[in-house]
Amino acid sequence: MPISRRDFLKYTSMAAAGTAVSLSDAELFSHLFAISPEPHEDVNYIPTYCEVCFWNCGAVAAVVNGKVKKLEGNPYDPRSRGKLCARGNAGVGELYDEDRLKHPMIRTGERGDGKYREASWDEALNYAAEKMTKIKNEYGPESVAFMMHGGITTHLMNLGKAFGSPNFGFPSYGQCRAARMVAYDLTYGADVGSPERVDMANSRVIVFFGTHLGENMHNSQVQDFTEALGSRAKIIVVDPRFSTAAGKADHWLPIRPGADMALMLAWINIIISEGLYDREYVDKYTAGFDELKESVKEYTPEWASKETDLPADIIVETARELGRYAPSVCVHPGRFTAWHGNDTQRERCIAILGAILGTWGREGGIYLPTKAPLAGAAGMSYPVPSRASIAKGPHAFAQPQLMQAVRRTTITADPYPIKAWVVAGTNILRAVPNPAKSIEAIMKLDLLIAIDIRPLDTAMMADVILPECTYLERHDALKIDRGVSLSVGIRQPVVEPLYKSKAGWWICKELGNRLGVGGYFPYETYEDHIKKECAAMNIDYDELTRVGTKFYPGTDNPYITNENQPVFKTPSGKIELYSSRLAEQGFAPIPKYNRIEQPEKGWFRLLSGRSPVHSFSRTANNQKLFELFEENVLWINAKVAFSMGIRDGQNIILVNQDNIMSEIIKAKVTQRIRNDCVYMVHGFGAKSRLLSRAYGRGADDSRLMTRFIADPISGSTGMRVNFVRIEKA
Amino acid sequence: MSKYVMVIDQRRCIGCMACIVACKAENDVPEEHFRTRVIQEVEGEFPKLRMELRSELCNHCDNPPCVYNCPTGASYKDKENGMVLLKKNRCVGCKACIASCPYDARYIDPRHGYADKCTFCSHRVAKGKEPACVQTCIGRSRIFGDIEDPESEVSLLLREHHHEVLKPAAGTEPNVYYINRILKG
Ligand code: SF4
Ligand code: SF4
Ligand code: SF4
């Protein structure tokens, strides 16, 4: 019997309320699909969570005779809410990509020349472990660094710590979220989480700075954004480029790149001087208001107009709109925040703006974290490394996860040598600016181990390649979702691994056994481990495998009430408009404006972003996504293009300040961008010939980023500081 | 009797293309061919710009030239539910329908040689489910339902909103309606 939309909602709210869903497997998910099996066909509907990007949306696979026929969103999951984005819908394109890594390989030629021989798992793992052990004996375990992204993170972190290394590189930190995490921690004593706890579905005004939300499909968050569009929230988008979000905006502010802080400081000044801030909230919850008020006095709308290239009256009008609708205002904290090298202070401005509007813990602003009744299994205790991590770099507030610091130390061997990299699920040659430097570092290594699903450029530099299976073929750590309510989700195989690929947990465990740290992997299968965790957390494992995601009743407390007061883990216990911790370390305790360098005539600032149908450089070879977006193009302002005689679709080449040339890329002549910058989608220009579709398509933005400015506070690598000129190809 | 229509709320579309990929997976659409698309159009001059995101698919026209021009009777209008559908075994691949459709909604499936296009996922609708593109629509921009039912969401939306169809001058009487339209069609 078909289940109606109303039933859908009923089950979803039952799940949300924590009511045990007592439906048979078939009833649970079969209503999502319209599969009419032949009598001899065997159909299963299996929930798991997606990994085509890190949003980890709950998905359900319809498996017919052992083949995944279709994926749908799991209606009981908070990140998909029954809907997958284009990439999630194309998950089968990851699974059945004929270019996948199929068996372990050991390098026979020189690094990077692509010559490998097939090896058995035993041989490849022994090879990797012997070399790691040799390096450990000679230089110490700290000389092996681990880099990762995605589902394998839990397993590889476990291996790295057990091995005794403190050196980890996360491109998702320094090349993405670091500035925001540090700024919110300094201001509120906590980050806004991932997914960000933005209450956009209820906002009256939403402000985006240079966002690619909408072009970057953070599924549930984009759904919330479209809810806001549907309810006619006011949208303000500050971006040098007319992005998709800008196309939806009531106010598009095409700001001069790098001047965002000038606009924000002027907004703060207007909001304070016109008394538009939330006085009661500011008195009760914040520290340093008077200093802030004094400090921003100089930032007048007229001054900001000159810096930002925006009309002063628009600056005033938008500031008043923020004030009028406060606290139901979401000034989005952003996610990819590695822009100009002063990123922590820019993020501080966003945090402060939100604070004086009273938005933290308020409907339509940023909701409060869930209560967390999860007991959880006891954690491991790892050996204490004898030498400190080098991955913090010289940055006062950075976490020791900076990829560029690992790379630098690999090249300089200062303060001690890094001799091996274990890279899993991240394409370092794309993810970190200036791949030439990454190659220089790789050439210094005694060992590069790659664990990957696809023959991406970085994997094809490795000495030994260990093929991981896709998310549809393995277990991974439980997904603990701290959205409005607490929930737990499971990733479980929906089909057996194809070829000789293996689950990441198995690879790490087997390496661990051979490295003499097998005791840190106290399970035969990862499923055993998940079962134990579920028992510790009081979750019915069998139910979880059938439902996919389980909510905890009574864990939500999104907004401030008399009974529900926010806690700020800052030195003052308040929201620090004036940051005492920044002051102690000699940084400006209240953000001050500094003009950044602008390109000379004939040069353009290079901006890069996202396509809604691709995840970084990972999915370029997925046929189902490739056919929608085969390669990136260079956005160039129409007037500029006309004056240079560049036609739409013409092949061009970019040359940067260090004379590095890009691959050939097609020009997109458009009104949608300022005349002082150019833009392309990140993740293209693959060099690996084994990627039959992606190879040689489009241009690589990271290669042009020979300059980046690391933020002294957080280590965020500002990447929007590279200038290029344009040549006809 | 029902009459199925789709309402496209253009304000809510975010151009994510989830609909396109879901449609292809649901209906085994061949590589490089599509039953639906999302067009992005921008008008104006920097910095005064307007953007439209517009989903397009077969309009299941009430006055369908593809049906009138089909020499074999393969293309037909279903009287029970208003859908314009195709009997694959009757199609000879002559392309008369493709030539006569003003909306570029059809293609020849190169694997089998017959014409194909959006069916409103009639196989799903028959089982009480929404079309695949509607089910996965991230923005809830695509809304599907029975216009004969005055209480349906589509009826409600069309009562409350000014709506348009594409190329009304073609006289095809489309059943895909656009609300919150931004640019002039
Ligand atoms: S946002 Fe899309 S790709 Fe990312 S996890 Fe969700 S469905 Fe998968
Ligand atoms: S849109 Fe084209 S294919 Fe669809 S019914 Fe109308 S004329 Fe026929
Ligand atoms: S899925 Fe919905 S929001 Fe996304 S492009 Fe299609 S119609 Fe637009």
Side-chain angles (χ1 to χ4, degrees):
Chain A
M1 197 194 76
I3 291 182
S4 70
R5 190 174 184 85
R6 192 159 303 131
D7 288 333
F8 247 50
L9 296 174
K10 192 175 79 196
Y11 297 137
T12 314
S13 61
M14 270 161 64
T19 319
V21 182
S22 58
L23 295 167
S24 75
D25 297 18
E27 281 174 307
L28 258 180
F29 293 123
S30 59
H31 67 280
L32 298 178
F33 300 89
I35 288 174
S36 314
E38 304 289 328
H40 63 277
E41 281 181 331
D42 173 38
V43 188
N44 282 300
Y45 301 101
I46 309 171
T48 188
Y49 66 87
C50 181
E51 196 193 32
V52 188
C53 88
F54 52 80
W55 209 253
N56 294 339
C57 299
V60 183
V63 184
V64 180
N65 279 352
K67 259 204 122 179
V68 180
K69 185 128 186 155
K70 192 168 187 243
L71 296 160
E72 293 272 356
N74 182 346
Y76 315 113
D77 183 86
R79 296 197 200 168
S80 68
R81 306 171 189 163
K83 298 166 188 294
L84 299 177
C85 78
R87 299 163 303 164
N89 272 298
V92 276
E94 301 290 294
L95 175 63
Y96 298 126
D97 184 345
E98 66 286 3
D99 293 338
R100 270 176 64 172
L101 291 167
K102 298 189 175 76
H103 41 70
M105 296 200 283
I106 293 178
R107 180 166 64 81
T108 54
E110 293 302 308
R111 261 198 195 124
D113 71 4
K115 293 206 177 75
Y116 286 88
R117 68 177 170 83
E118 192 176 330
S120 71
W121 270 104
D122 216 32
E123 186 191 7
L125 289 165
N126 287 340
Y127 176 99
E130 275 161 28
K131 292 222 162 182
M132 282 174 78
T133 305
K134 187 161 175 274
I135 291 166
K136 181 176 187 167
N137 292 341
E138 223 166 293
Y139 303 97
E142 304 85 358
S143 292
V144 180
F146 298 79
M147 288 124 215
M148 64 205 84
H149 193 250
I152 200 169
T153 297
T154 318
H155 319 302
L156 194 61
M157 280 283 278
N158 187 12
L159 181 70
K161 286 183 189 163
F163 186 73
S165 177
N167 290 320
F168 300 93
F170 287 81
S172 58
Y173 184 70
Q175 281 70 49
C176 195
R177 283 191 294 148
R180 179 196 91 198
M181 292 169 77
V182 171
Y184 274 75
D185 191 47
L186 288 168
T187 314
Y188 293 93
D191 184 29
V192 286
S194 173
E196 293 79 16
R197 296 192 310 276
V198 281
D199 195 25
M200 284 194 290
N202 296 310
S203 302
R204 305 283 303 278
V205 182
I206 298 174
V207 187
F208 291 118
F209 285 91
T211 187
H212 38 244
L213 196 76
E215 290 160 341
N216 202 353
M217 287 307 297
H218 300 159
N219 189 345
S220 46
Q221 207 170 95
V222 177
Q223 291 189 39
D224 285 347
F225 178 39
T226 62
E227 285 308 313
L229 291 174
S231 61
R232 299 272 160 187
K234 284 223 178 326
I235 314 293
I236 301 172
V237 173
V238 185
D239 198 321
R241 182 176 67 89
F242 192 66
S243 61
T244 300
K248 297 287 175 188
D250 300 275
H251 295 283
W252 170 44
L253 309 184
I255 195 166
R256 176 178 291 134
D260 309 78
M261 277 173 76
L263 175 64
M264 284 187 256
L265 290 165
W267 273 352
I268 294 171
N269 184 17
I270 298 163
I271 288 164
I272 293 178
S273 61
E274 297 193 4
L276 302 171
Y277 62 98
D278 189 329
R279 205 174 295 258
E280 206 182 316
Y281 185 98
V282 164
D283 286 348
K284 192 160 177 193
Y285 298 119
T286 73
F289 181 74
D290 293 337
E291 289 93 331
L292 175 69
K293 183 177 177 180
E294 194 51 41
S295 177
V296 295
K297 265 198 183 134
E298 58 179 304
Y299 303 123
T300 63
E302 295 69 30
W303 165 86
S305 170
K306 286 202 195 79
E307 287 301 322
T308 58
D309 203 15
L310 299 170
D313 56 335
I314 297 284
I315 296 176
V316 174
E317 187 188 331
T318 44
R320 287 181 184 157
E321 251 162 43
L322 297 180
R324 169 152 13 114
Y325 293 105
S328 190
V329 174
C330 175
V331 189
H332 196 290
R335 189 165 181 110
F336 168 63
T337 54
W339 296 3
H340 303 119
N342 57 1
D343 304 315
T344 315
Q345 293 288 23
R346 185 189 67 248
E347 287 293 315
R348 276 270 295 154
C349 287
I350 296 181
I352 290 169
L353 190 57
I356 62 170
L357 294 168
T359 63
W360 182 279
R362 307 294 274 283
E363 189 171 347
I366 289 180
Y367 53 83
L368 299 175
T370 54
K371 296 176 206 149
L374 280 185
M380 290 275 178
S381 73
Y382 293 99
V384 179
S386 51
R387 287 181 291 191
S389 172
I390 50 87
K392 196 173 169 334
H395 311 285
F397 294 94
Q399 288 175 17
Q401 301 185 351
L402 294 172
M403 188 48 227
Q404 78 270 19
V406 176
R407 182 172 79 179
R408 187 173 47 237
T409 305
T410 306
I411 293 171
T412 61
D414 176 29
Y416 56 79
I418 300 283
K419 287 293 183 186
W421 288 6
V422 185
V423 182
T426 172
N427 189 7
I428 296 296
L429 292 181
R430 278 302 104 70
V432 189
N434 197 1
K437 275 273 171 229
S438 301
I439 290 177
E440 186 186 337
I442 287 172
M443 288 305 183
K444 296 218 162 193
L445 294 173
D446 288 352
L447 177 67
L448 174 59
I449 301 173
I451 306 173
D452 211 325
I453 296 161
R454 317 158 186 89
L456 297 176
D457 294 5
T458 309
M460 298 318 293
M461 295 289 292
D463 306 331
V464 52
I465 302 174
L466 306 175
E468 196 189 8
C469 56
T470 67
Y471 68 102
L472 293 168
E473 305 160 284
R474 59 170 144 93
H475 282 102
D476 263 314
L478 292 172
K479 171 181 72 161
I480 312 286
D481 187 293
R482 297 184 188 285
V484 176
S485 299
L486 187 67
S487 67
V488 174
I490 189 168
R491 175 175 288 148
Q492 56 189 344
V494 306
V495 289
E496 289 293 311
L498 290 179
Y499 316 113
K500 289 186 180 150
S501 66
K502 291 282 191 183
W505 68 263
W506 183 90
I507 299 172
C508 293
K509 178 178 160 67
E510 288 293 320
L511 262 179
N513 286 342
R514 287 166 173 80
L515 292 166
V517 295
Y520 288 90
F521 301 86
Y523 38 81
E524 266 309 301
T525 67
Y526 204 68
E527 188 179 15
D528 294 344
H529 178 70
I530 296 176
K531 278 185 187 158
K532 246 190 236 156
E533 280 201 306
C534 281
M537 290 190 283
N538 240 330
I539 297 172
D540 179 342
Y541 175 76
D542 289 327
E543 190 198 339
L544 186 65
T545 61
R546 287 185 290 116
V547 186
T549 301
K550 185 141 173 44
F551 278 88
Y552 281 79
T555 51
D556 58 315
N557 58 340
Y559 309 131
I560 295 176
T561 61
N562 282 341
E563 295 74 44
N564 186 30
Q565 288 294 309
V567 179
F568 302 107
K569 292 186 183 144
T570 53
S572 61
K574 298 205 162 182
I575 304 171
E576 298 211 339
L577 306 175
Y578 176 101
S579 170
S580 51
R581 294 176 67 203
L582 281 176
E584 271 166 30
Q585 296 287 330
F587 297 109
I590 291 171
K592 281 276 160 201
Y593 184 71
N594 289 303
R595 190 175 301 161
I596 68 164
E597 192 190 348
Q598 294 295 333
E600 304 275 323
K601 204 171 162 4
W603 291 83
F604 305 89
R605 184 182 303 275
L606 176 65
L607 305 177
S608 72
R610 299 275 180 269
S611 153
V613 303
H614 284 295
S615 298
F616 319 117
S617 58
R618 252 190 235 177
T619 52
N621 205 60
N622 180 322
Q623 188 276 328
K624 294 174 193 317
L625 299 172
F626 174 81
E627 67 179 5
L628 287 170
F629 193 108
E630 295 184 355
E631 60 186 40
N632 57 0
V633 292
L634 187 84
W635 292 34
I636 170 168
N637 173 281
K639 270 199 189 126
V640 171
F642 181 78
S643 73
M644 294 178 71
I646 292 170
R647 283 167 291 109
D648 190 51
Q650 183 172 346
N651 282 339
I652 52 170
I653 286 175
L654 301 177
V655 184
N656 79 1
Q657 296 138 292
D658 294 319
N659 267 320
I660 300 294
M661 281 165 53
S662 75
E663 298 85 356
I664 291 175
I665 182 170
K666 290 193 173 64
K668 170 184 163 123
V669 173
T670 177
Q671 298 289 342
R672 296 175 60 182
I673 190 163
R674 285 173 59 94
N675 59 11
D676 50 5
C677 47
V678 290
Y679 165 84
M680 67 170 89
V681 167
H682 166 75
F684 288 81
K687 301 282 174 294
S688 167
R689 289 175 183 274
L690 298 181
L691 299 164
S692 59
R693 281 171 289 268
Y695 169 70
R697 292 285 185 155
D700 170 18
D701 56 330
S702 66
R703 155 196 188 100
L704 296 166
M705 296 172 179
T706 51
R707 302 184 180 189
F708 59 83
I709 302 178
D711 184 324
I713 302 175
S714 64
S716 158
T717 58
M719 292 187 261
R720 294 183 172 174
V721 295
N722 291 270
F723 302 150
V724 292
R725 57 192 168 77
I726 299 169
E727 286 185 2
K728 292 175 193 168
Chain B
M1 275 249 298
S2 324
K3 184 173 171 188
Y4 288 109
V5 307
M6 196 177 289
V7 176
I8 313 266
D9 183 343
Q10 292 190 280
R11 182 164 173 86
R12 299 190 61 120
C13 176
I14 198 76
C16 68
M17 319 237 181
C19 46
I20 302 175
V21 184
C23 163
K24 292 200 63 169
E26 180 74 36
N27 297 297
D28 189 27
V29 177
E31 287 186 18
E32 309 289 330
H33 290 282
F34 302 93
R35 287 183 173 192
T36 183
R37 53 186 171 249
V38 179
I39 308 289
Q40 185 183 61
E41 260 173 50
V42 175
E43 260 185 25
E45 240 180 81
F46 180 94
K48 295 232 170 308
L49 300 173
R50 282 178 310 165
M51 175 192 291
E52 166 163 294
L53 291 161
R54 187 177 63 246
S55 293
E56 294 184 357
L57 61 159
C58 168
N59 286 287
H60 296 268
C61 306
D62 280 347
N63 197 20
C66 58
V67 172
Y68 302 148
N69 284 296
C70 175
T72 67
S75 283
Y76 68 100
K77 175 111 180 150
D78 191 319
K79 302 244 160 19
E80 292 298 306
N81 57 25
M83 295 181 192
V84 172
L85 299 170
L86 184 104
K87 295 193 182 94
K88 285 175 181 165
N89 53 358
R90 281 214 202 164
C91 175
V92 293
C94 72
K95 303 189 186 170
C97 55
I98 298 184
S100 63
C101 168
Y103 303 99
D104 192 17
R106 292 177 170 240
Y107 60 92
I108 297 283
D109 186 325
R111 299 166 304 185
H112 312 290
Y114 49 62
D116 201 13
K117 68 167 193 72
C118 160
T119 57
F120 268 169
C121 285
S122 56
H123 64 293
R124 286 178 63 102
V125 175
K127 292 191 168 191
K129 303 164 207 307
E130 297 176 315
C133 61
V134 174
Q135 160 60 34
T136 206
C137 179
I138 296 291
R140 292 207 290 128
S141 162
R142 293 179 180 230
I143 302 110
F144 181 80
D146 182 2
I147 202 175
E148 299 291 337
D149 171 3
E151 295 306 306
S152 67
E153 197 180 352
V154 286
S155 297
L156 233 79
L157 284 169
L158 292 178
R159 270 205 299 280
E160 282 172 8
H161 287 80
H162 166 77
H163 48 84
E164 294 173 32
V165 294
L166 299 182
K167 299 192 184 169
T172 56
E173 294 177 36
N175 283 304
V176 175
Y177 298 91
Y178 294 81
I179 62 172
N180 290 319
R181 192 112 203 246
I182 293 150
L183 303 183
K184 287 267 167 293

